Amino acid sequence: MYAKEPKSVHVHFVFSQIAKRYDVMNSLLSFWQHKLWRRFAMRHTHLRRGGRAIDVACGTGDWTLSLAQAVGPEGHVVGLDFCKEMLDVAQEKMERRGYSRQQVTLVEGDAMDLPFDDNSFDVATIGFALRNVPDVLTVLREMARVVKPGGQVISLELSKPESRWFRSVYYFYFYRIVPWIGSLAVGKKEPYAWLPESLTDFPDRRRLEDLFRQAGLRNVVSYPLTGGIAALHIGVKAED
């Protein structure tokens, strides 16, 4: 990150630059694994027809629309992001797939200060964005606040492989190859140089479990995915 530049400012700059290419690059750089990870996450998401969900830091809206499919036309999903350029892509995708504003609402807002009342949603998700926020615990507490008692807080995020040999191979790809591919694809070095930087100080899978508990969530579980390069975390808000 640039010296003295607030993290939120730099992250906003990064994603505003790559919004149009974000989906293609995600698929390319993850070898299409991110789609399988999201399907796995949806199988663990306790959403019913007519339910309400919020997808925090929704980006281009892929998980938002998966949630909308799960709740059906009787339910409602909010996709929130602080980057208008990402939301513009999500809006185009939403309209192309035939979702109405009665089913899906896209909101420009701050994950650190969600503009919703307590106990508003059945599920709150965040996908591949928790490592980009200024304070992970604050975001988890906000997500816990807006879900109903018994509701789920779910994070799908890049992680750190636990096997030493696999970690060394993965880190070579992630820190050396990914920024190079990204710079060739978008014509700029900065956006994809940020990707490995964002993971360096991010908690590993077990430490992130602890932060879920510190946020007041119960029954916290995590699942390493594809050798631990990603992880799914789930916590439940305590019943009243």
Side-chain angles (χ1 to χ4, degrees):
M1 186 163 54
Y2 299 127
K4 299 182 181 180
E5 183 177 52
K7 183 175 183 179
S8 60
V9 173
H10 186 61
V11 171
H12 188 280
F13 168 78
V14 166
F15 285 99
S16 67
Q17 296 294 301
I18 64 174
K20 295 290 187 182
R21 299 181 179 91
Y22 180 80
D23 291 335
V24 171
M25 292 302 296
N26 263 8
S27 294
L28 177 63
L29 296 176
S30 73
F31 299 97
W32 283 265
Q33 290 296 297
H34 72 104
K35 296 178 183 291
L36 300 178
W37 299 336
R38 191 163 51 249
R39 288 174 193 161
F40 180 84
M42 286 301 299
R43 291 199 295 271
H44 290 79
T45 302
H46 298 162
L47 264 183
R48 299 179 179 178
R49 303 283 290 187
R52 288 177 53 83
I54 179 170
D55 187 20
V56 177
C58 68
T60 60
D62 278 345
W63 203 353
T64 309
L65 298 185
S66 293
L67 295 168
Q69 184 177 16
V71 301
E74 308 93 336
H76 188 76
V77 176
V78 172
L80 177 141
D81 203 281
F82 78 150
C83 181
K84 183 180 181 301
E85 289 81 359
M86 297 289 273
L87 288 174
D88 288 343
V89 176
Q91 181 70 38
E92 293 172 5
K93 193 178 297 182
M94 173 185 140
E95 293 172 357
R96 189 167 62 248
R97 297 184 188 178
Y99 288 95
S100 70
R101 294 186 180 182
Q102 284 69 44
Q103 294 173 281
V104 180
T105 302
L106 299 177
V107 176
E108 190 172 349
D110 185 356
M112 302 273 289
D113 185 18
L114 298 176
F116 299 99
D117 294 336
D118 298 358
N119 309 322
S120 295
F121 301 97
D122 301 299
V123 171
T125 63
I126 184 166
F128 307 110
L130 197 55
R131 72 187 186 281
N132 294 321
V133 303
D135 187 90
V136 171
L137 186 55
T138 296
V139 171
L140 291 175
R141 284 174 171 161
E142 275 293 279
M143 293 172 70
R145 178 183 65 79
V146 300
V147 297
K148 302 172 185 177
Q152 294 175 300
V153 171
I154 303 176
S155 167
L156 179 59
E157 185 55 272
L158 297 180
S159 192
K160 299 173 181 178
E162 295 168 15
S163 165
R164 183 175 298 177
W165 73 266
F166 183 58
R167 185 167 61 240
S168 64
V169 172
Y170 172 65
Y171 278 7
F172 177 80
Y173 169 73
F174 195 66
Y175 285 90
R176 302 285 186 175
I177 305 302
V178 166
W180 178 72
I181 295 174
S183 66
L184 288 178
V186 302
K188 297 178 182 179
K189 180 181 178 181
E190 293 85 358
Y192 283 93
W194 164 249
L195 186 58
E197 182 180 342
S198 69
L199 187 62
T200 299
D201 296 323
F202 188 69
D204 63 18
R205 180 168 67 92
R206 297 301 184 187
R207 174 59 182 148
L208 189 53
E209 284 184 3
D210 291 339
L211 291 176
F212 266 63
R213 296 184 184 100
Q214 288 180 43
L217 297 163
R218 308 284 181 85
N219 304 324
V220 176
V221 294
S222 68
Y223 303 90
L225 305 171
T226 314
I229 66 175
L232 177 68
H233 285 74
I234 303 172
V236 177
K237 185 171 180 175
E239 299 275 1
D240 289 339

